[in-house]
Amino acid sequence: TERGDDQMVINIRLDGNPPTKTAQQRGETIINGHIHHYEKKEVTRVKDVLRWQLKSYVPKEPLGGPISLKIEWRFELKRCKRRFWKVTRPDLDNLEKGLLDVLTDMHFWNDDAQVCIKQTCKKEVPPGEGFLEIEIRQIGGDQS
């Protein structure tokens, strides 16, 4: 965590293969003739693991104002010899949604609507080189 010019920057690196379960993997059931959606156990478990890994990075107070977010997902593949773009599932937008939900629930910011700039990528890497890297940066002033 850094602070400069009254702007906070939080740098997070979680080593290991990132989770592949996403917020879109929901179940549904019918109760009294109405469809009810629920979060599957695997997704809940992944979010719990993320919360545990992120707990030491939570700021004392949620970041205010506009936020820039950079996320890099590096997925380990058994046969990968060098870095390639990951063009298979999980979809990038679904990965982002689950992570943003967790960051919001943990009070990194007040609302994920504060995220005004977002840069995200996902790549395939050889075994042992996987990680999830997150940079959360307050941005201020006129950004036109």
Side-chain angles (χ1 to χ4, degrees), residues 8-135:
M8 172 91 59
V9 178
I10 301 171
N11 290 300
I12 301 166
R13 181 176 168 124
L14 306 176
D15 288 321
N17 207 24
T20 57
K21 300 294 179 192
T22 69
Q24 295 304 109
Q25 295 174 326
R26 294 190 175 271
E28 59 182 46
T29 187
I30 297 176
I31 301 174
N32 296 327
H34 299 283
I35 296 176
H36 292 272
H37 296 274
Y38 62 92
E39 191 170 81
K40 290 186 176 180
K41 288 180 185 177
E42 304 89 33
V43 175
T44 301
R45 187 187 62 74
V46 164
K47 285 184 174 183
D48 287 344
V49 169
L50 274 174
R51 284 183 188 93
W52 181 81
Q53 292 175 314
L54 292 168
K55 68 181 180 179
S56 64
Y57 297 96
V58 177
K60 291 179 183 163
E61 293 186 21
L63 302 182
I67 291 173
S68 167
L69 183 62
K70 290 182 184 177
I71 307 168
E72 185 170 343
W73 306 83
R74 297 254 178 136
F75 292 96
E76 299 175 10
L77 292 182
K78 292 180 178 100
R79 292 184 297 269
C80 185
K81 301 290 186 225
R82 57 189 173 106
R83 292 180 175 83
F84 288 96
W85 295 109
K86 182 166 176 49
V87 295
T88 58
R89 294 184 185 273
D91 295 354
L92 193 56
D93 58 331
N94 296 334
L95 287 167
E96 292 172 339
K97 176 70 175 134
L99 179 60
L100 267 66
D101 287 347
V102 169
L103 293 169
T104 301
D105 291 345
M106 295 183 74
H107 305 290
F108 279 84
W109 48 63
N110 295 307
D111 190 313
D112 58 9
Q114 292 173 249
V115 178
C116 297
I117 299 171
K118 183 174 61 173
Q119 179 182 350
T120 313
C121 69
K122 62 178 184 167
K123 293 183 178 179
E124 298 173 343
V125 296
E129 295 183 21
F131 63 83
L132 170 59
E133 198 164 68
I134 307 162
E135 178 189 275

